[in-house]
C-alpha cells in the first residue's frame, strides 16, 4: 500500500498524489507556497526516497527545486486545484550522489569519473555554484549552448574561455551582454556584427559601440542610440554616419567635443558648431577659422 504522509497541524490546501513507474508512492498535503524542494523533502520523509534521487513531473513539465507549487501547478482557466497528480522518476544513484557532492563543493568535480563529467545535470549544478566548474566538463558538454548560457549568466567574462561555437551563439552572447555590455568585445566576429546583439549592448551601455563590427557601426538606429547617450561614441560610427546631419547633431548636443570627429563639412556648419559650443564651449576649437572668428557663435 502507498505511504500517506501525516497532515500538518496547519490548514493545507493542496493534496498531491505521487506515483512512480511501479504505481502509487504516497499522498502529500502541501501548502501552495511550498517550493518543489520542500515537496521533495516531504517526500523523502514520507517514502524514504532521497531528495537528490527524485525527479518530479507535472504532466510533461519537470518541477525545478526553486519552483513554487502555486505557480507551476495552476490549471489553465481554473486556478489552483485542490488535488493533483505528480509523477516521480528516480535518478541513478551515481548521479544523485554527485549532485549532492557538487552542491556542497563544486571543486570536487575535478576528481569525478568521466561518466559524471558527461552528466549535464551534475555539471550544471556545479556551474551554478561557480562557473569555473565548467572546465571539468567533458569536451562535448563544454560546447553545450545551455551550459554556456548558464556560465555567462553567472560571470560575463567567462565568455572569453568558451569555444567558438558558443561565442558565436546569439543566446549565449545576449546573456553575457545583459550582464555587462563589455562582453561584446569577447564575442565572435559574427556576433559583433549582429544588429540585435549590438543594439542590446548599446542600450545597456553606449560605449559598447566600440566593440561593434562594421555593420552596426553603419546602422543609423544603432549609432543614434549610442551617440544620443554618449556623444563621444561618434568616433566609432562609420565614415558615412559621421557625415549624417541627425547623427552629428545628436552627438554634439550631448558631447560638444564630438564635433572633432564629425565629417569636415560640419566644422563649418553654424547650427552644428553652435549646438556643440552650447554643450561645451571648448568645442569651439574644432570649428572652422571663420566660425571661430564669429563673435556670435
Amino acid at each position: 500500500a502507498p505511504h500517506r504522509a501525516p497532515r500538518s497541524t496547519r490548514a493545507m490546501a493542496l493534496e498531491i498524489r505521487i506515483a512512480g513507474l511501479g504505481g502509487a508512492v504516497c499522498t502529500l498535503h502541501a501548502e501552495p507556497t511550498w517550493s518543489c524542494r520542500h515537496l521533495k523533502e516531504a517526500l523523502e520523509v514520507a517514502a524514504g526516497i532521497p531528495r537528490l534521487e527524485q525527479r518530479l513531473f507535472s504532466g510533461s513539465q519537470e518541477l525545478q527545486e526553486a519552483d513554487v507549487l502555486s505557480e507551476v501547478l495552476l490549471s489553465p482557466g481554473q486556478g489552483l486545484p485542490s488535488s493533483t497528480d505528480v509523477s516521480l522518476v528516480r535518478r541513478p544513484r551515481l548521479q544523485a550522489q554527485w549532485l549532492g557532492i557538487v552542491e556542497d563543493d563544486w571543486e570536487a568535480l575535478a576528481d569525478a569519473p568521466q561518466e559524471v563529467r558527461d552528466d549535464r545535470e551534475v555539471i550544471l549544478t556545479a556551474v551554478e555554484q561557480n562557473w569555473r566548474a565548467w572546465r571539468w566538463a567533458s569536451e562535448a558538454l563544454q560546447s553545450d549552448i545551455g551550459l554556456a548560457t548558464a556560465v555567462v549568466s553567472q560571470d560575463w567574462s567567462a565568455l572569453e574561455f568558451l569555444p567558438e561555437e558558443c561565442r558565436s551563439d546569439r543566446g549565449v552572447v545576449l546573456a553575457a551582454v545583459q550582464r555587462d555590455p563589455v562582453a561584446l568585445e569577447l564575442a565572435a566576429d559574427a556576433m559583433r556584427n549582429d544588429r540585435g546583439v549590438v543594439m542590446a549592448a548599446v542600450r545597456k551601455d553606449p560605449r559598447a559601440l566600440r566593440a561593434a563590427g562594421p555593420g552596426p557601426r553603419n546602422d543609423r538606429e544603432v549609432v543614434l542610440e549610442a551617440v544620443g547617450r554618449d556623444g563621444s561614441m561618434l568616433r566609432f560610427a562609420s565614415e558615412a554616419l559621421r557625415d549624417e546631419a541627425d547623427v552629428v547633431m545628436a552627438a554634439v548636443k550631448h558631447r560638444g567635443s564630438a564635433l572633432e570627429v564629425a565629417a569636415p563639412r560640419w566644422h563649418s556648419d553654424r547650427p552644428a558648431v553652435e549646438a556643440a559650443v552650447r554643450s561645451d564651449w571648448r568645442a569651439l576649437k574644432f570649428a572652422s577659422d571663420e566660425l571661430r572668428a564669429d563673435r556670435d557663435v
Side-chain angles (χ1 to χ4, degrees):
H3 299 279
R4 180 171 293 270
R7 288 179 178 270
S8 163
T9 55
R10 299 178 59 186
M12 307 299 280
L14 186 59
E15 181 180 85
I16 301 179
R17 296 179 295 271
I18 299 177
L21 295 177
V25 175
C26 72
T27 297
L28 299 174
H29 295 88
E31 296 185 32
T33 55
W34 278 12
S35 67
C36 181
R37 176 168 179 149
H38 194 161
L39 180 64
K40 288 182 176 182
E41 290 170 344
L43 177 57
E44 180 172 0
V45 171
I49 303 170
R51 173 180 66 84
L52 291 173
E53 288 187 21
Q54 302 173 31
R55 296 180 67 191
L56 300 180
F57 294 82
S58 176
S60 61
Q61 178 186 3
E62 183 169 6
L63 305 181
Q64 304 303 315
E65 291 210 334
D67 289 341
V68 177
L69 298 184
S70 62
E71 297 174 1
V72 295
L73 299 180
L74 288 173
S75 299
Q78 299 179 12
L80 188 67
S82 60
S83 64
T84 190
D85 294 306
V86 169
S87 301
L88 166 69
V89 176
R90 295 187 68 161
R91 288 191 178 90
R93 288 191 176 179
L94 180 65
Q95 182 188 53
Q97 175 189 358
W98 274 95
L99 284 172
I101 289 171
V102 300
E103 273 189 356
D104 294 333
D105 180 11
W106 62 271
E107 291 183 292
L109 197 59
D111 300 318
Q114 187 62 42
E115 181 181 353
V116 172
R117 295 182 186 217
D118 285 331
D119 190 310
R120 188 178 188 277
E121 191 168 0
V122 172
I123 299 298
L124 184 58
T125 299
V127 163
E128 288 171 350
Q129 312 306 313
N130 190 302
W131 72 265
R132 291 174 179 82
W134 168 86
R135 67 181 183 270
W136 290 310
S138 66
E139 184 176 350
L141 282 180
Q142 287 187 353
S143 299
D144 183 277
I145 297 302
L147 187 61
T149 302
V151 167
V152 299
S153 295
Q154 185 178 130
D155 188 332
W156 63 269
S157 66
L159 186 62
E160 178 181 4
F161 307 104
L162 299 183
E164 180 76 9
E165 55 264 47
C166 295
R167 293 188 297 108
S168 300
D169 182 83
R170 201 167 189 268
V172 172
V173 176
L174 279 171
V177 300
Q178 287 299 323
R179 290 298 305 270
D180 194 317
V182 175
L184 188 62
E185 297 176 2
L186 306 175
D189 288 347
M191 292 297 98
R192 292 192 287 111
N193 278 290
D194 184 295
R195 183 183 187 278
V197 169
V198 174
M199 180 64 91
V202 164
R203 283 174 174 160
K204 290 277 288 186
D205 187 334
R207 294 172 295 179
L209 189 65
R210 293 179 295 193
R217 290 187 185 205
N218 195 44
D219 186 297
R220 178 180 281 100
E221 189 177 352
V222 171
V223 171
L224 278 172
E225 179 71 27
V227 302
R229 295 167 55 208
D230 185 343
S232 69
M233 291 300 101
L234 184 63
R235 181 179 304 277
F236 302 99
S238 68
E239 183 178 353
L241 289 182
R242 293 201 305 273
D243 197 23
E244 288 280 348
D246 53 349
V247 173
V248 171
M249 292 301 290
V252 299
K253 284 178 180 178
H254 182 273
R255 184 75 61 90
S257 60
L259 184 64
E260 179 184 10
V261 296
R265 73 184 179 98
W266 295 101
H267 300 187
S268 302
D269 183 85
R270 178 179 290 273
V273 171
E274 288 178 341
V277 170
R278 280 196 296 271
S279 174
D280 183 350
W281 64 268
R282 292 168 295 186
L284 185 61
K285 66 184 177 182
F286 304 121
S288 64
D289 291 344
E290 180 183 355
L291 287 179
R292 285 205 307 272
D294 190 325
R295 300 173 67 88
D296 293 330
V297 173

